[in-house]
Amino acid sequence: MSSSDIPSLWLTPEKCPNQWIFRCLTSLDNLVETNLAAHYFRQLVTILEDDYHILNYHLEIGHNLTKNNQFDVCIFFNDPRRSNNPSTTRVCISCEPTHELCSASFLSEQRHTRAWLDARAREKLILTPIRHVERLSELIDENEEMEAFWRDAVELIHRECDQLNGFYPKLTLNHGTYRNHAHLHLKMTFNDQIWHDTIAPRHAEQLQQMKQILKNPNIMEDCFGHQKDKKKKEDSTET
């Protein structure tokens, strides 16, 4: 398979003010199974960043369950409230798995990625590249890092959900000034039923440990920066 196998329609966005929508007429699972995920997302970020110079954006993937799990990639940009890059922190929570909070949230390590519980103990799972990269476009094709990123994402979803039963989590990637952390994070948001019935019970001990660790203000500042400024930024968009 090559980039020429991607239909041009899937890479032609519907353009609204401050929002573009790319409609991919297959599922993310199928894109991974056919080894096209890396090709598709490489071309998509090239369109955004190289062709249109959109560097600060919130990328959100949502599946249409009534249309064979076809998915939309929504790009939100030009939000004036998002004007600053994330502040530097003492600890990169995706690079230091031996740190107390990172160790508590750690789930698994693959060749190119790590899987985590959300570092703030929110109802999310996280996938990050092992390398410290800040943009999806920085992932490498030649060593299959880009392909592995999406393959590992799909495998994590299926491993943690057992059965999706007509549901697929919302996936988000923030870039540039839309980030709260420098390291690229793929955030997976699940519905209440799947989280509380399946995922949370499986990791109950870890989640409880994390909640205790997060009560330490020094750890909060080391991992997330100054909390007053962080709260203002997080309030401006879902991250």
Side-chain angles (χ1 to χ4, degrees), residues 36-63:
L36 287 175
H39 298 304
Y40 178 70
F41 285 102
R42 172 66 60 202
Q43 290 184 73
L44 191 149
V45 295
T46 297
I47 290 169
L48 291 175
E49 299 181 5
D50 294 350
D51 297 350
Y52 287 92
H53 308 293
I54 298 172
L55 301 177
N56 303 309
Y57 58 91
H58 172 90
L59 183 156
E60 182 174 304
I61 298 173
H63 281 71

Side-chain angles (χ1 to χ4, degrees), residues 44-201:
L44 191 149
V45 295
T46 297
I47 290 169
L48 291 175
E49 299 181 5
D50 294 350
D51 297 350
Y52 287 92
H53 308 293
I54 298 172
L55 301 177
N56 303 309
Y57 58 91
H58 172 90
L59 183 156
E60 182 174 304
I61 298 173
H63 281 71
N64 189 329
L65 303 180
T66 64
K67 293 185 177 180
N68 298 318
N69 280 326
Q70 297 172 9
F71 69 91
D72 293 344
V73 182
C74 296
I75 308 296
F76 301 91
F77 58 99
N78 283 348
D79 185 342
R81 297 171 296 177
R82 286 284 179 170
S83 57
N84 298 315
N85 282 310
S87 57
T88 301
T89 58
R90 295 188 186 96
V91 175
C92 175
I93 55 176
S94 301
C95 286
E96 301 187 33
T98 59
H99 180 274
E100 184 178 5
L101 178 59
C102 305
S103 177
S105 63
F106 177 79
L107 292 178
S108 66
E109 180 170 311
Q110 296 66 234
R111 180 185 174 193
H112 291 294
T113 65
R114 294 188 180 109
W116 317 80
L117 296 167
D118 179 75
R120 291 181 178 269
R122 297 175 296 185
E123 298 175 358
K124 302 174 187 291
L125 297 177
I126 309 294
L127 188 79
T128 63
I130 290 177
R131 285 197 310 123
H132 186 93
V133 301
E134 301 190 4
R135 313 188 69 84
L136 187 61
S137 58
E138 293 176 19
L139 296 181
I140 299 170
D141 293 320
E142 288 74 17
N143 66 356
E144 300 184 348
E145 186 182 35
M146 174 73 91
E147 192 69 44
F149 184 75
W150 294 106
R151 182 180 63 250
D152 293 347
V154 167
E155 290 180 357
L156 176 62
I157 291 166
H158 285 275
R159 182 170 71 243
E160 291 291 336
C161 287
D162 295 334
Q163 296 182 24
L164 290 170
N165 291 328
F167 169 80
Y168 211 90
K170 180 178 73 174
L171 309 178
T172 60
L173 284 166
N174 291 315
H175 287 75
T177 57
Y178 280 72
R179 297 170 298 159
N180 287 319
H181 304 289
H183 200 120
L184 183 70
H185 282 60
L186 178 66
K187 302 176 179 68
M188 306 176 178
T189 304
F190 298 82
N191 64 28
D192 288 343
Q193 181 178 358
I194 289 178
W195 183 264
H196 292 294
D197 292 352
T198 303
I199 300 175

Side-chain angles (χ1 to χ4, degrees), residues 213-224:
I213 294 170
L214 289 168
K215 292 179 180 179
N216 185 326
N218 293 324
I219 288 180
M220 290 293 290
E221 185 159 352
D222 283 349
C223 296
F224 303 110

